[in-house]
Each structure stands twice: as C-alpha cells, then as structure tokens.
Amino acid sequence: MTKKTSPSSRPARRPLRPRFGMSRRPAETDVDKRPTTFGGKLRRFLPSIGVVAVLVALVLAVLAVVVVMFSDTPLGALASLIAEMWMISHLSPVIFEGVTVGLVPLLPALGVIALLASRVRTVVRRKVSVYDLGVILGVALVVPMILTLIAWLILWDAARVYPVGAPPILIALANTALVHLVGMVIGVGPKLWRAIFRRYGLNPQLIDGAGHGVRFLTYLAAASVAVMVVLAVAGWGRQQEMIAAYPVIDTAGIAALVALTVLYLPNAAVAGMSVLVGGDVWFGDASVSLFSIHLVPLPPLPLTALVPPTAQNWAPVALVIPAAIAVYLWVEVRPGVWRVLGGALAAGITMLVAVYFASGSLGWYDYVGPTWWIAPLLVLVWVGAVGVVTVVVTLVVRRRGQEEGPEEEPAEEPEEEPEEEEPEAPEEEEEEEEEEEEEDPDKSSPRPAED
C-alpha cells in the first residue's frame, strides 16, 4: 500500500460549522406547526377558506357599481343589487315585481364552486387530519351562509322601497350550503378521499369508479353542447325568426341576448344531457325529448330557438352517444364490480345535483328543466349497465385465457430464458475486471521512481 492510498495519508474532513443564524436543533416539521386546539385550527383555516366568500362578495360589489354607473338604476338601490347578485350566484330564487324566478343562471355558481375547490385543494395539499377537514367544512359553509343571511335582510328591508323581494330564507340558506358543499367535495380530491375511505373501512375502488362516473358526465355535457351547435346551424331560420320577434333591437339588445345565452348555457347543457340519455325537458306545458316534442309559445331567446318544432323519426339514434361514451370509459379501464358501483352512484348523484341546480320556476311557465328523477336514474342505468356488461365480458375473456394458458406456456419458456441471460454475461465479466483493477492499482499503473 502506497502513501497516497493509505488511510493515514488522506486529509481528515473538518466538521461543518453552523453558519451565522443557523441552529443545530432539528428543523420543525409541518406536523409540529399544526395547531391542536379548535381555536388554533380556526385561526389557521378561516383566512384561507373564508376569503372565498369575501372575494365573491367584493367582485359582485364591483359589478353592481358598474351596473349603477351605466344604467338608470338609482344609487340607493346599490345594496339591494349586490344582495340580488349574491342570491343569483348561489342559485337562490329572485323576486322582482312579484314574479319569482327560480331558474337562475348556473354559470356564476360554477365559478363559485371552482374558486372554493381551488382554495380547498391548496389547503389540503399538506397533511391534514379528519378534525382539520371538519373545521374546513365548517368554515366553507358557515361564512357564506352568514353573508346569505345578510343579503336576505337587505332584500327584506329594500322591498319596502324597491320592487324586489326576499326569497324563502330556508331555501336560500340550503342552496348556499349545497353550492359550497359541492366545492368542498371537489376540492378534497380523489387521493384524500381514498385515504378517508381506507380509514373508515370502505373500498377505495369506489372513488376510482366515481372518477369515471364524473368523466362520463363531462363527456356527455360536451356532446350536449356539440348537439346544440348543430341545431343552431341547421335551424338558423329559427334564430332569424327569434330576432324578428323584437320590433326594435339595437347593439345593446343583441349584447344582452348574447350575455343571457352565455349565462344560461350550462342550464341548457344539463337539459341536453337529459334528452340524450332518453329523458325529457319541460318548459311549462311544453315538453321535449328524443321521441316527441310538444311546444307552446316560448320566450324569444337564442336557446329556446334551438328546439325544433317536431321530433324526427331518426332522433332516437342519438341514444348511441351515451352508450358509446360509457363503453369507451369502461373498456379503457377494465373495471371491477366496486368500480362500476362507484361510477354508477357518482354519476347518478352528480346528475341529480346538476338537475336541481339547472332547473326552477320561471314566472307563469312554472317549472322549467328536466324531470328531477328520470334523468339521474337513466344516467345511473347507462353507466351501471354498460359497466356490468364490461365486467362480465372481461371475466369470460380472462377465464378463456386461463384455460388456454397451460398449452402455450411450454412453447414460450425455452425461447425466453436464453435471450435474457446471454447479454448479461459479458457485462458481469467486464465489471469484475474493473473491480480487480481498482483493488490492485499497482498492476494497472506504473509506480513512480524513488530517488
């Protein structure tokens, strides 16, 4: 052993000295920083979750100020206008001049749900407990319900001066809670939901299936919008007749029609989903389905002008759309029984909530929207039936593969083994030679001459 390779000739490493401001104590982890009392958890989650409702109220206040500035609305009605916007954004009925409008646009509520889901996802990204989730849920529900109560009091007081009214307080509070509950459920995310299911002894495959059920509804909504575009192009004459129903319409009127179309587009998409799965849509006494159409005079709007006067004989062929979507989803994942059950239940429950959000009363038309139980039931049947068929076919194919497997295995084994072993031998020999050279450096490199 030479001096250069001996352990005594190697310089010893100096111990690292802590820099200025550094401590030798181990760093505190996120678990150590988490509060354990209810007050501490409330102080932690109230600013991050409660800010969603406050931010929505501020945005609505800015929009109300813009409306007052560019319209004939008196400045004294600003507070009631903000309260009405808050009610609309949380799907509560609106009362104006004694007329109740329960069919409010769904787009603002979707924005509130998306904003809350984003904040919840950011908060639960770190490690949280079930107790933490309970506090987050409480904050997510209580803060907006308090603001809804304040908005209701403003409308109740403004009804003495302006032609507005306060909706039923229980319906307003329930709808507010439901909107924020949906945002909370989405924000928690599938990963944390699986952990919750494991904690309470439930099968986590239900969550995987729920994701496929929601994807089914997403694809079905996209197909519904595509069908509406086709109807608009094919029935452009009905759109022209709708515009002709207004004796005098200027640029502002056209802009208002476009704004109403955009705001109510999610409502129309839910109605189209109900029709595509074989359900119906009611507009007062009028009904629309793939099998029959019965119309009454409808409001002159771009979305109502999409409805053809009669149902074509080939219209039931559109039932292929939900069937194709369900087949595509289940064949892609080859599900089990638990996944199919989770997907069917999640799709049916989600459709039920969507129908409730997208429907309501509209003046003398009374109820407008899909039948509340038919569309969710049909969605559950489509997802569940196609999923069960996929499971049965997968089991049959797997059993046939097991029966044919022993006959094919002896012919494949002798061919695979040599191919895996042959290329590895030279690499092992080369590695051994390199190790020998490293262990005996005298053989590989000449020693310097000694004086």
Side-chain angles (χ1 to χ4, degrees):
M1 183 178 294
T2 62
K3 296 180 179 179
K4 291 185 176 181
T5 58
S6 61
S8 59
S9 63
R10 295 177 183 174
R13 293 184 178 180
R14 296 182 178 178
L16 295 177
R17 297 180 179 177
R19 297 181 181 178
F20 180 77
M22 295 180 58
S23 175
R24 289 182 176 271
R25 292 179 299 176
E28 294 182 353
T29 60
D30 294 338
V31 179
D32 298 328
K33 295 180 181 179
R34 287 188 301 167
T36 56
T37 62
F38 175 76
K41 293 179 182 295
L42 188 63
R43 288 190 297 270
R44 177 188 175 189
F45 297 122
L46 182 59
S48 55
I49 301 299
V51 70
V52 174
V54 177
L55 181 60
V56 171
L58 291 177
V59 171
L60 295 178
V62 172
L63 293 177
V65 171
V66 173
V67 171
V68 170
M69 291 177 60
F70 294 95
S71 66
D72 298 334
T73 306
L75 185 61
L78 179 61
S80 60
L81 183 59
I82 297 174
E84 287 282 14
M85 288 184 174
W86 175 267
M87 292 295 184
I88 292 174
S89 65
H90 289 80
L91 301 176
S92 298
V94 176
I95 301 175
F96 185 76
E97 293 184 352
V99 178
T100 302
V101 178
L103 182 66
V104 295
L106 186 54
L107 187 62
L110 292 180
V112 175
I113 292 173
L115 183 60
L116 179 60
S118 176
R119 287 302 306 158
V120 172
R121 189 178 298 110
T122 302
V123 171
V124 301
R125 187 174 299 171
R126 298 180 179 180
K127 189 174 182 180
V128 294
S129 63
V130 177
Y131 190 10
D132 294 336
L133 291 177
V135 176
I136 293 173
L137 177 61
V139 173
L141 297 183
V142 172
V143 174
M145 290 176 70
I146 292 174
L147 294 180
T148 297
L149 182 60
I150 295 174
W152 186 88
L153 292 174
I154 292 174
L155 292 174
W156 176 77
D157 183 66
R160 305 174 183 178
V161 181
Y162 301 104
V164 296
I169 182 62
L170 294 181
I171 294 178
L173 292 175
N175 289 355
T176 301
L178 187 57
V179 167
H180 286 261
L181 180 61
V182 171
M184 176 72 184
V185 171
I186 297 174
V188 169
K191 184 177 180 180
L192 189 54
W193 276 118
R194 291 191 195 97
I196 295 173
F197 271 49
R198 291 192 190 96
R199 178 182 177 87
Y200 292 101
L202 300 175
N203 196 322
Q205 290 189 6
L206 292 171
I207 300 300
D208 299 332
H212 299 305
V214 174
R215 285 179 61 194
F216 173 85
L217 293 180
T218 303
Y219 294 156
L220 188 63
S224 174
V225 174
V227 170
M228 286 191 288
V229 173
V230 173
L231 290 176
V233 174
W236 186 250
R238 294 192 297 271
Q239 300 292 331
Q240 293 177 340
E241 293 176 0
M242 180 271 300
I243 294 295
Y246 295 92
V248 178
I249 186 169
D250 53 2
T251 304
I254 295 177
L257 289 177
V258 172
L260 283 175
T261 302
V262 173
L263 289 173
Y264 279 96
L265 185 60
N267 303 64
V270 173
M273 293 164 63
S274 174
V275 173
L276 287 178
V277 297
D280 55 6
V281 176
W282 290 88
F283 207 109
D285 294 331
S287 63
V288 179
S289 69
L290 293 176
F291 309 98
S292 65
I293 295 178
H294 173 68
L295 294 181
V296 297
L298 300 176
L301 297 171
L303 291 176
T304 56
L306 295 176
V307 182
T310 58
Q312 301 296 327
N313 295 330
W314 49 265
V317 178
L319 293 173
V320 175
I321 295 176
I325 294 174
V327 169
Y328 169 74
L329 288 177
W330 289 131
V331 170
E332 184 183 12
V333 298
R334 294 182 180 180
V337 177
W338 287 105
R339 281 194 178 187
V340 172
L341 179 61
L345 291 177
I349 294 173
T350 304
M351 189 64 185
L352 179 63
V353 175
V355 168
Y356 176 74
F357 282 171
S359 58
S361 61
L362 185 62
W364 67 274
Y365 282 103
D366 199 10
Y367 180 78
V368 177
T371 303
W372 70 269
W373 63 272
I374 293 181
L377 180 61
L378 289 174
V379 166
L380 186 147
V381 170
W382 276 112
V383 177
V386 176
V388 169
V389 172
T390 306
V391 170
V392 173
V393 172
T394 303
L395 291 176
V396 172
V397 172
R398 188 177 300 172
R399 287 184 178 180
R400 289 183 178 179
Q402 291 177 355
E403 293 176 357
E404 298 175 358
E407 299 178 0
E408 298 178 356
E409 288 178 359
E412 295 178 356
E413 287 180 356
E415 297 179 358
E416 293 179 355
E417 291 179 355
E419 293 180 359
E420 296 178 357
E421 294 177 357
E422 287 179 359
E424 294 178 358
E427 295 178 359
E428 292 177 358
E429 293 176 1
E430 292 176 3
E431 291 175 0
E432 291 177 359
E433 292 176 2
E434 292 175 1
E435 291 176 358
E436 291 177 0
E437 291 176 359
E438 291 175 358
E439 291 176 358
D440 193 358
D442 297 339
K443 297 180 181 180
S444 59
S445 60
R447 295 179 60 183
E450 297 181 0
D451 293 335

